[in-house]
């Protein structure tokens, strides 16, 4: 039975994503086009592949049987097409990275422009999220995480500064009204601007000085989802709404301009930097291999003291 390969790709995309909207986001298409492609595939095959409701799109038994045989074949097609990269002057294709918002905000701006300039035929897609999840489930090729969030059976490559810090700060006007905290525990008497993880858990503030460690559950007038919404937290702190405790690099512009005043600097908590991780048990596509090589080159240059 002949079937247009484009229709098969649409069926696979929807099956992998579990819905038309997510499949459209992952493929750069649109939901109505994918829905039409799946409908035409079902008409040509003479069977229903998905059960659709207003909220879910689930494979039928026939769809599951098809996917069990089709996915390995489609992976082989992708591998065959990727093999053509060895005959190109520069590799091409799409590279999808799943990263925390902090990495997109603080680490990747120093990396991405140079990578894209070197590899103009690669299309880089960044999926920036606050919650930790299995990156391969969303058809991402690799991910960036802190070491306590590394995927099992993955290979890790250091990316970006190896040590980062949290910095506490507040606007001069706020400190003039409420006073300057001298110890982390003093913050329990201050208006703290803090965050909540995607899991619903409120983030603790951890401070360290030598062997001493202090953990606080901050209280205050503003709670933002950890991730992109933290820009609102910084803006509120600059406006004098309270004390912020966030990545030092995130606060650096405001600290350098004087819009925020550093607090408790001897207590700022340090932690290890980010890692680029991937599954080496899978075929490494040419765009990912190019990115791995580029990061290794940058790491070697920085270890040699080269900017």
């Amino acid at each position: 039975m002949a079937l247009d390969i484009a229709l098969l790709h649409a069926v696979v995309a929807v099956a992998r994503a579990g819905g038309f909207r997510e499949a459209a986001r992952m493929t750069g298409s649109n939901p109505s086009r994918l829905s039409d492609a799946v409908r035409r595939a079902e008409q040509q095959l003479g069977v229903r592949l998905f059960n659709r409701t207003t909220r879910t799109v689930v494979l039928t038994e026939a769809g599951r049987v098809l996917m069990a045989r089709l996915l390995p074949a489609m992976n082989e097609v992708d591998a065959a097409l990727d093999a053509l990269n060895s005959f190109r002057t520069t590799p091409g294709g799409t590279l999808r990275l799943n990263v925390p918002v902090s990495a997109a905000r603080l680490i990747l701006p120093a990396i991405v422009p140079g990578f894209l300039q070197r590899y103009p035929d690669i299309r880089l897609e960044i999926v920036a999220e606050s919650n930790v999840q299995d990156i391969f489930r969303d058809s991402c090729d690799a991910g960036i995480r802190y070491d306590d969030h590394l995927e099992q059976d993955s290979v890790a490559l250091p990316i970006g500064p190896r040590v980062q810090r949290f910095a506490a700060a507040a606007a001069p006007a706020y400190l003039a009204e409420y006073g300057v905290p001298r110890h982390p525990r003093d913050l329990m008497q201050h208006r703290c601007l803090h965050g909540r993880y995607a899991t619903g858990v409120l983030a603790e503030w951890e401070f360290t000085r030598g062997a001493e460690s202090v953990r606080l559950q901050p209280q205050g007038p503003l709670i933002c989802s950890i991730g992109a919404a933290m820009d609102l937290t910084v803006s509120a702190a600059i406006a004098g709404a309270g004390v912020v405790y966030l990545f030092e690099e995130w606060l650096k512009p405001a600290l350098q301009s004087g819009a925020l005043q550093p607090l408790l600097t001897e207590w700022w908590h340090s932690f290890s930097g980010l890692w680029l991780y991937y599954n080496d048990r899978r075929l490494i596509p040419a765009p990912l291999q190019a990115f791995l090589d580029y990061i290794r080159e940058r790491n070697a240059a920085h270890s040699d003291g080269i900017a």
Side-chain angles (χ1 to χ4, degrees), residues 13-297:
V14 174
R16 283 173 168 167
F20 293 106
R21 289 187 179 278
E22 182 64 13
R25 184 184 69 81
M26 292 167 55
T27 61
S29 182
N30 64 68
S32 61
R33 186 177 302 162
L34 286 174
S35 178
D36 180 65
V38 169
R39 179 184 55 78
R40 286 189 287 132
E42 290 176 328
Q43 287 177 343
Q44 292 186 30
L45 292 172
V47 295
R48 178 177 288 276
L49 300 175
F50 297 94
N51 288 321
R52 307 164 179 79
T53 69
T54 55
R55 298 187 177 210
T56 62
V57 178
V58 182
L59 284 167
T60 62
E61 180 62 26
R64 288 194 292 272
V65 170
L66 177 64
M67 287 301 106
R69 301 290 297 271
L70 185 58
L71 284 175
M74 296 299 283
N75 289 336
E76 283 299 314
V77 170
D78 291 339
L81 294 175
D82 187 70
L84 296 178
N85 272 306
S86 61
F87 297 94
R88 298 166 57 95
T89 304
T90 59
T94 298
L95 171 61
R96 285 173 54 87
L97 300 179
N98 185 296
V99 309
V101 172
S102 59
R105 180 77 159 72
L106 306 176
I107 304 299
L108 291 181
I111 295 173
V112 167
F115 175 74
L116 295 179
Q117 184 176 15
R118 178 177 296 186
Y119 300 103
D121 295 328
I122 290 179
R123 184 179 71 173
L124 179 61
E125 183 174 352
I126 303 297
V127 179
E129 299 176 308
S130 303
N131 57 315
V132 178
Q133 62 176 308
D134 177 5
I135 60 164
F136 306 115
R137 186 190 67 192
D138 286 340
S139 299
C140 287
D141 301 293
I144 296 176
R145 288 289 185 269
Y146 292 97
D147 54 3
D148 58 343
H149 292 150
L150 291 180
E151 296 289 324
Q152 194 174 16
D153 299 326
S154 62
V155 178
L157 181 68
I159 183 170
R162 300 323 305 141
V163 178
Q164 297 184 43
R165 292 195 302 176
F166 282 108
Y174 172 87
L175 297 173
E177 181 176 356
Y178 292 94
V180 178
R182 303 300 179 187
H183 189 278
R185 293 190 183 90
D186 294 342
L187 292 173
M188 297 306 295
Q189 308 304 318
H190 280 264
R191 296 169 64 82
C192 297
L193 314 175
H194 53 122
R196 188 189 300 273
Y197 294 110
T199 58
V201 176
L202 289 170
E204 288 186 328
W205 287 4
E206 181 178 3
F207 297 86
T208 54
R209 184 176 65 178
E212 187 176 1
S213 178
V214 177
R215 287 180 174 269
L216 304 174
Q217 184 62 73
Q219 302 292 324
L222 178 64
I223 302 173
C224 286
S225 297
I226 290 177
M230 298 312 289
D231 276 330
L232 174 59
T233 306
V234 177
S235 296
I238 292 173
V243 178
V244 63
Y245 192 49
L246 193 59
F247 294 101
E248 181 182 5
E249 287 298 314
W250 207 317
L251 298 181
K252 182 173 286 186
L255 292 171
Q256 290 177 336
S257 70
L260 291 178
Q261 180 177 321
L263 305 172
L264 304 167
T265 54
E266 70 275 18
W267 286 93
W268 288 2
H269 178 64
S270 299
F271 53 98
S272 60
L274 288 158
W275 297 82
L276 170 68
Y277 67 103
Y278 62 98
N279 190 338
D280 71 342
R281 295 184 180 181
R282 302 185 179 194
L283 171 73
I284 298 179
L288 175 57
Q289 187 61 61
F291 191 71
L292 295 173
D293 293 342
Y294 185 78
I295 297 303
R296 291 189 180 102
E297 181 183 315

